[in-house]
Amino acid sequence: MRVLADHATVVVSGTKLAEEIGISRSAVWRSVEHLRELGVAIAGHPRTGYQLEQVPDLLLAEFIEPHLRGTIFSGTGKLRHSFRTGSTNALAMQAGAAGEPEGAVWLAEEQTAGRGRGGHAWESAKSVGIYCSVLLRPPLSPADALPLSLAAGLATAAAVEEATGLVADLRWPNDLLLGGKKFCGILAEMNAEATRVRYAVIGVGINVNQARFSGELAETATSLRLATGREWSRLELAVALLKFLDGAYRALVERGPGPVVAAFEQRSSYARGKRVRVKDAGLPEYEGVTDGLDARGFLQVKTAAGVRTVLSGGVREI
Amino acid sequence: MNQKELKELIEFLIEKDIAEFELERGDVKVRVKRAGEQTVVSAPPHMAFTHHAPAPPPEAVASPAPLTTTQKAAAMADEGLHIVKSPIVGTYYESPSPGSPPFVKVGDSVEAGEALCIIEAMKLMNEIESDVAGEVVKKLAANGQPVEYGQPLFAIRQK
């Protein structure tokens, strides 16, 4: 793949590919067939060779890594790309349990078991979204690490703004919305002892180039393409995402939750004065008006019976 | 109302076995609801305590909440049982996803490092592991319900 990309739109002979990769010509043919199955446009020219018809918008490590110098995600072998996997969060959690150092990144073109909060599925169709999970080992107590969840949403919003110019709204704690519809979800998972986080995984799913959503999702979901009428480079967006995640993570570790909470209050229309219905895990639903975040980052909602603290999520505008 | 008075009020409510109680005086509002063995206190922090210095932080307000559970846990600790506590405020889940079987049941043997439950806060799923090997003697939190920082979750008889 990399050799073809280096000679994009030029015909490369099977022999040259075989030499550069160090495999046989028939293995080259099998690899090309495999890439075609995965949706890469490769033309075959009899007796001359193979040609990459267009540089594909694939989230390959070779394309992303050079842009990440100086971040915790920089380094050989830290980015792992798969064309198809169950869930990038599952891969990252397994690696965390196995002792993998922080800064590893999992990117997938397609997830077959993408998941969100509370067992919800995350639709992860092939090469139209970004499905990305990062492994972190914050030197923090579990309570101090919670604002990672807010910081991840803020970082993703900043990345979307840099790559597309679009200013997304944030729904506490970290859903990204355009025109009131969700186009990005974040699932953070953590494994901790009483006083120390062992590892944390932040999974980000962004709907980029989906042309439509079917059924119930059409009511509540959107993509950057649906919101703007044009396609966007997933590659640029993924690079921006990892850069901003790096910055947000370092800032939280160095300066604590204060700046994260303040930034969220400034950026999110949900932070203050929004009428919401709250379905917080196993508790009875209630309604109220949002009233800022507390010092730890929990959303406060004014209700007829006093101010309540939203613990988990499930906040919807009414 | 100060923290001591609030504590006395809760103790009184428990003693008289009153399930739900609400008090409003000017801009001071206190609501106490006891769900089964647990006591849930919701007192809006800035509204309720700004008039009496020093104002206790929200954590302090909430700390008398799991009173009965904490007392039970203290008694169990006396019996030599190991108590696993919640490292964060959040929602307690006994299983990895809704509808799936719980991580552990009473009577199960667990190893150190084995997952016991998930506490969710700010949509961050926090896997809590057992820090000892032993037998799960009691599960002290209710599925889908809020837990406080430091609230006892499991009593484990160490091997």
Side-chain angles (χ1 to χ4, degrees):
Chain A
M1 184 65 235
R2 190 180 54 76
V3 179
L4 279 174
D6 282 349
H7 302 276
T9 69
V10 174
V11 180
V12 183
S13 76
T15 314
K16 181 174 161 70
L17 282 169
E19 275 173 13
E20 289 217 16
I21 306 171
I23 54 175
S24 70
R25 281 190 61 184
S26 60
V28 168
W29 179 79
R30 280 197 301 273
S31 304
V32 166
E33 284 302 303
H34 183 58
L35 285 167
R36 281 175 176 159
E37 270 171 38
L38 294 164
V40 180
I42 299 172
H45 299 277
R47 286 186 302 278
T48 47
Y50 300 100
Q51 180 184 24
L52 194 54
E53 292 181 325
Q54 62 185 82
V55 179
D57 189 29
L58 293 173
L59 305 177
L60 298 175
E62 297 90 315
F63 296 167
I64 294 175
E65 215 288 318
H67 303 284
L68 297 178
R69 300 279 145 76
T71 73
I72 57 164
F73 307 121
S74 175
T76 309
K78 279 197 157 177
L79 270 66
R80 294 93 198 260
H81 171 269
S82 40
F83 280 94
R84 184 182 295 127
T85 189
S87 146
T88 54
N89 256 45
L91 293 176
M93 285 297 281
Q94 283 159 16
E100 174 106 22
E102 81 169 352
V105 179
W106 287 260
L107 289 152
E109 298 299 321
E110 182 182 2
Q111 291 189 116
T112 53
R115 55 206 170 94
R117 175 173 171 257
H120 289 293
W122 182 264
E123 207 177 279
S124 315
K126 187 162 78 184
S127 297
V128 288
I130 290 177
Y131 317 114
C132 172
S133 297
V134 301
L135 176 65
L136 304 172
R137 295 189 181 274
L140 300 169
S141 73
D144 289 338
L146 292 182
L148 259 183
S149 179
L150 301 176
L154 283 162
T156 308
V160 168
E161 192 172 344
E162 185 181 84
T164 69
L166 293 166
V167 180
D169 195 9
L170 281 160
R171 180 171 61 199
W172 192 90
N174 55 22
D175 287 340
L176 269 68
L177 312 176
L178 283 170
K181 290 182 170 183
K182 176 165 163 175
F183 72 97
C184 168
I186 292 171
L187 178 65
E189 298 183 75
M190 190 158 94
N191 177 290
E193 295 167 8
T195 55
R196 188 178 68 96
V197 175
R198 278 211 204 91
Y199 54 92
V201 166
I202 295 174
V204 180
I206 308 177
N207 299 335
V208 184
N209 291 327
Q210 281 90 342
R212 69 189 64 80
F213 290 96
S214 51
E216 271 177 39
L217 269 183
E219 303 290 314
T220 54
T222 191
S223 69
L224 294 175
R225 176 177 170 180
L226 283 168
T228 59
R230 56 157 286 190
E231 291 197 26
W232 295 94
S233 159
R234 292 185 310 135
L235 204 51
E236 278 177 36
L237 200 51
V239 167
L241 173 66
L242 290 168
K243 277 199 215 164
F244 279 101
L245 278 177
D246 172 72
Y249 172 60
R250 287 175 195 234
L252 177 68
V253 170
E254 283 162 24
R255 300 204 289 274
V260 177
V261 171
F264 189 93
E265 286 201 324
Q266 204 189 359
R267 179 73 192 250
S268 166
S269 81
Y270 278 77
R272 272 179 208 281
K274 177 86 84 188
R275 270 205 71 76
V276 292
R277 178 175 293 120
V278 182
K279 178 77 197 81
D280 203 3
L283 300 174
E285 282 189 34
Y286 59 91
E287 292 180 7
V289 177
T290 59
D291 192 30
L293 272 55
D294 70 10
R296 303 166 298 180
F298 287 101
L299 183 65
Q300 309 291 298
V301 176
K302 260 191 249 172
T303 73
V307 177
R308 299 184 61 162
T309 297
V310 186
L311 293 176
S312 300
V315 177
R316 293 291 177 273
E317 185 174 14
I318 47 173
Chain B
M1 181 181 291
N2 61 28
Q3 210 186 333
K4 184 167 166 284
E5 285 169 340
L6 181 65
K7 193 162 179 270
E8 282 170 6
L9 170 66
I10 292 168
E11 273 161 1
F12 174 79
L13 296 175
I14 290 168
E15 195 192 321
K16 298 291 176 200
D17 206 26
I18 294 164
E20 203 159 348
F21 174 84
E22 216 163 320
L23 169 77
E24 203 165 346
R25 252 190 290 171
D27 58 353
V28 176
K29 196 185 273 186
V30 175
R31 186 166 155 263
V32 179
K33 188 177 174 191
R34 298 176 55 218
E37 295 189 341
Q38 277 187 35
T39 309
V40 181
V41 179
S42 83
H46 0 277
M47 283 172 76
F49 294 102
T50 40
H51 288 257
H52 301 270
E59 289 83 357
V61 176
S63 62
L67 206 59
T68 51
T69 317
T70 310
Q71 284 169 345
K72 263 193 188 164
M76 287 177 179
D78 289 345
E79 292 165 26
L81 296 176
H82 177 80
I83 304 296
V84 178
K85 294 175 182 170
S86 178
I88 53 170
V89 172
T91 307
Y92 168 88
Y93 299 108
E94 62 176 11
S95 56
S97 60
S100 62
F103 285 102
V104 290
K105 302 186 299 290
V106 169
D108 281 0
S109 287
V110 292
E111 298 299 323
E114 194 173 327
L116 296 174
C117 66
I118 285 174
I119 311 284
E120 180 188 26
M122 299 186 206
K123 230 169 78 176
L124 197 157
M125 315 304 280
N126 188 6
E127 213 172 74
I128 309 294
E129 296 183 347
S130 181
D131 45 358
V132 297
E135 181 198 338
V136 178
V137 174
K138 182 121 179 98
K139 293 166 79 170
L140 297 159
N143 194 36
Q145 294 300 306
V147 291
E148 288 295 336
Y149 174 81
Q151 183 172 328
L153 303 175
F154 297 91
I156 294 174
R157 181 172 290 118
Q158 270 179 269
K159 261 192 240 169

